[in-house]
Amino acid sequence: MTWRGTLGARPEGKDRTHFRVWAPRRRMVEVSVQGASRPLPLVRDARGYFEGVHPAPVGARYKYRLDDREEFPDPASRFQPDGPHGHSEVVDPWSHAWRDGDWKGLASIQGQVLYELHLGTFTPEGTYEAAIEKLPLLAELGITCLELMPLHTCPGRFNWGYDGAQLFAPHPAYGRPESLRAFVEAAHGLGLGVVLDVVYNHLGPDGNYLAQYAPGYFTKKYENEWGEPTNFDDGEDAGPSREFFVENACAWMAEYHFDGLRLDATQSLYDDGPRHIVQVITQAAREAAGGRGVLIIAENEPQDELCVRAPERGGWGADGLWVDDFHHSARVAATGRAEAYLQDYRGNAQELLSCVLRNSLYQGQYYRWQKKARGCPLWRVPAKRVCLLPPEPRPAGQHARRPPAAPRRRRAPGAGAHDAVALVAPDAHVLHGPGVVRQLPVPLLRGPRAGAAGGGAPGPRRVHRPVRERAPRPRARGVRRARG
């Protein structure tokens, strides 16, 4: 059964559209369609949802007029051609003639090679169409799955994606929704899965109009370092708020054929209810995918094994846990700088090896940066559930100071540590130097670890360098290897 959403503008044929929005504190909501002679009324139900069917063809632009006064974009808009402050556009998410019917999705996280890709920096054009042309290079490189950094619409041309204001609408700077569907379809045609990074723990400060419709989308019950936390358990408004975020996850699966989600900062998805919102999103996204294999990866700063524990054992049921310890230690090894949240990492061989062997470093020890204990034991978590990250270039604002460039003829401080990990961690993805992917030209892909199914641990296999094209700077941020 094909999943269908209930929120936003849904075309119903004959140039008519069904509009639905939650605004429980408003006495009146109307649709203001560009070019129409007057606003079109919506009818309120007992839960505070306003809806109605009106003449509005695909491509029509509109806003909601609240209480006969101000007008705002649709919170569930499928496209914001002029950015988060502009009019919403009626989009038919089912008009694309998909040609990936033979694609079965991603059955397992084990053995996946994830490439974290930012659409705006992946090509000089920064568009879906330009990125499609480069996909064969990634397939030839040995990548098996792309992880797109957040696509939520945000203000301006450039953004890393973590200040999204319109969660359902792909950022217009990269292209139209049809082009995003074509990108996913092209990736599937090359055997590449596509996972999307989504941010549900807060919204960006500019262009976020959710509170104009319902303050109950947010809560003051908890604290959040990035902004007002979203509401999943605070009062009667928590129900519709949960539905909004769950429907967003399902929309990416069903309307764009994504193969999974990376849930950002799940430690800040506060939910004291009987079923945690991560568990609900995980189950709903799998159902919305319509039989395709889906991967749900939970980023969790404390690295809590609850993320990947089975629901029947009280867990959230995600497929993978995003562990930052390896990245942090490797970054100290590579740069020799241990400051801010890296201050407790040494970057030596023992630290890196311990992380590989035990899935993480922090398993309840005191962490000076946070001034409290951090982490929980992960050594019993199957290695295939853990995603380890090599260090990669990051936005300047995400580090205390930009590390200095290493002298050309001098080895990086932690090079020996990296070599040691390469020798004992055949599941690590070791990539070095400038090239088609600026920091990663000739990958050394390692086979399964000793004792894995199939027997033995084959030696490293070289993957030949892709065509001699040198992609211009800036590049996507890096490659990640799911362990297994």
Side-chain angles (χ1 to χ4, degrees):
M1 181 177 179
T2 303
W3 178 89
R4 289 287 191 272
T6 65
L7 299 173
R10 294 173 289 144
E12 293 199 345
K14 298 182 179 180
D15 291 341
R16 296 178 67 81
T17 296
H18 188 137
F19 297 93
R20 187 169 186 257
V21 63
W22 182 54
R25 304 295 184 269
R26 298 292 183 170
R27 58 180 176 81
M28 180 170 61
V29 178
E30 301 167 293
V31 183
S32 180
V33 180
Q34 278 189 337
S37 59
R38 57 182 177 80
L40 307 170
L42 299 180
V43 177
R44 177 184 175 127
D45 70 11
R47 299 183 66 202
Y49 286 93
F50 289 80
E51 62 183 309
V53 179
H54 291 292
V58 171
R61 298 190 179 187
Y62 69 98
K63 285 187 175 182
Y64 289 127
R65 182 189 293 263
L66 306 183
D67 291 338
D68 198 27
R69 291 181 294 182
E70 294 181 285
E71 296 183 353
F72 300 99
D74 185 350
S77 167
R78 287 337 195 243
F79 191 49
Q80 292 292 122
D82 299 319
H85 301 290
H87 283 77
S88 304
E89 181 178 316
V90 177
V91 172
D92 185 357
W94 312 110
S95 62
H96 185 80
W98 289 96
R99 296 173 295 173
D100 64 351
D102 294 333
W103 177 255
K104 303 303 180 185
L106 302 174
S108 171
I109 196 172
Q110 185 169 3
Q112 299 293 341
V113 182
L114 276 70
Y115 184 97
E116 186 181 51
L117 188 153
H118 184 273
L119 258 304
T121 62
F122 184 58
T123 64
E125 299 85 354
T127 64
Y128 302 119
E129 288 88 349
I132 288 173
E133 299 300 318
K134 303 296 183 184
L135 290 180
L137 300 178
L138 296 181
E140 194 174 4
L141 189 67
I143 305 303
T144 66
C145 181
L146 309 177
E147 182 232 320
L148 300 189
M149 292 177 68
L151 298 179
H152 311 307
T153 293
C154 53
R157 174 70 177 84
F158 302 104
N159 195 290
W160 287 103
Y162 297 94
D163 291 316
Q166 285 278 352
L167 300 189
F168 286 80
H171 191 39
Y174 308 144
R176 293 187 55 81
E178 307 90 84
S179 298
L180 174 55
R181 293 184 178 93
F183 174 89
V184 175
E185 186 174 69
H188 289 169
L190 293 169
L192 297 169
V194 190
V195 169
L196 179 64
D197 194 345
V198 292
V199 184
Y200 294 151
N201 58 79
H202 76 290
L203 275 79
D206 187 6
N208 164 26
Y209 295 108
L210 276 185
Q212 296 291 337
Y213 292 88
Y217 277 117
F218 303 97
T219 177
K220 300 186 183 300
K221 185 177 175 181
Y222 306 99
E223 293 183 358
N224 188 332
E225 60 185 302
W226 300 290
E228 199 170 11
T230 43
N231 179 21
F232 301 113
D233 68 355
D234 188 5
E236 61 181 12
D237 286 345
S241 179
R242 290 168 71 95
E243 292 169 9
F244 177 83
F245 290 95
V246 171
E247 185 157 318
N248 180 260
C250 293
W252 294 117
M253 299 294 103
E255 298 177 7
Y256 291 94
H257 286 201
F258 277 103
D259 300 299
L261 301 171
R262 175 195 178 272
L263 304 177
D264 182 70
T266 56
Q267 76 278 0
S268 295
L269 296 176
Y270 302 109
D271 187 0
D272 198 29
R275 292 188 70 213
H276 194 278
I277 188 62
V278 171
Q279 180 187 347
V280 175
I281 287 174
T282 297
Q283 179 180 340
R286 287 173 177 155
E287 293 172 355
R292 298 191 319 276
V294 166
L295 299 182
I296 305 297
I297 302 172
E299 193 238 356
N300 188 272
E301 197 280 334
Q303 302 168 171
D304 194 337
E305 62 89 22
L306 185 70
C307 297
V308 292
R309 190 192 306 167
E312 54 269 24
R313 295 178 47 237
W316 300 346
D319 298 284
L321 175 60
W322 202 261
V323 171
D324 286 326
D325 276 346
F326 185 87
H327 167 274
H328 294 349
S329 181
R331 187 171 185 86
V332 172
T335 66
R337 304 286 291 271
E339 55 192 0
Y341 59 84
L342 302 176
Q343 63 185 267
D344 285 341
Y345 293 88
R346 298 180 180 179
N348 56 32
Q350 181 59 59
E351 194 171 72
L352 291 166
L353 298 181
S354 295
C355 188
V356 170
L357 295 174
R358 296 177 175 83
N359 293 327
S360 69
L361 288 175
Y362 277 90
Q363 306 197 19
Q365 304 98 309
Y366 183 79
Y367 186 35
R368 285 188 298 162
W369 176 248
Q370 296 178 347
K371 296 181 174 59
K372 64 179 181 179
R374 174 174 179 259
C376 68
L378 293 182
W379 59 277
R380 289 189 176 180
V381 174
K384 66 181 180 181
R385 299 288 189 193
V386 175
C387 296
L388 297 184
L389 297 67
E392 79 283 21
R394 305 194 70 175
Q398 292 195 15
H399 292 287
R401 291 190 295 273
R402 186 181 297 275
R408 289 194 175 196
R409 298 190 178 180
R410 189 173 144 205
R411 235 177 157 202
H418 284 169
D419 292 345
V421 172
L423 290 173
V424 304
D427 56 337
H429 207 151
V430 185
L431 303 156
H432 303 282
V436 173
V437 181
R438 178 161 58 95
Q439 71 276 20
L440 314 168
V442 183
L444 191 63
L445 297 181
R446 305 273 181 167
R449 67 170 58 183
R461 59 185 177 91
R462 286 211 174 267
V463 177
H464 64 280
R465 187 190 300 263
V467 295
R468 291 185 173 272
E469 175 186 359
R470 290 181 67 86
R473 301 181 182 185
R475 284 288 75 184
R477 285 171 57 199
V479 172
R480 281 159 182 166
R481 178 74 157 92
R483 306 178 61 208

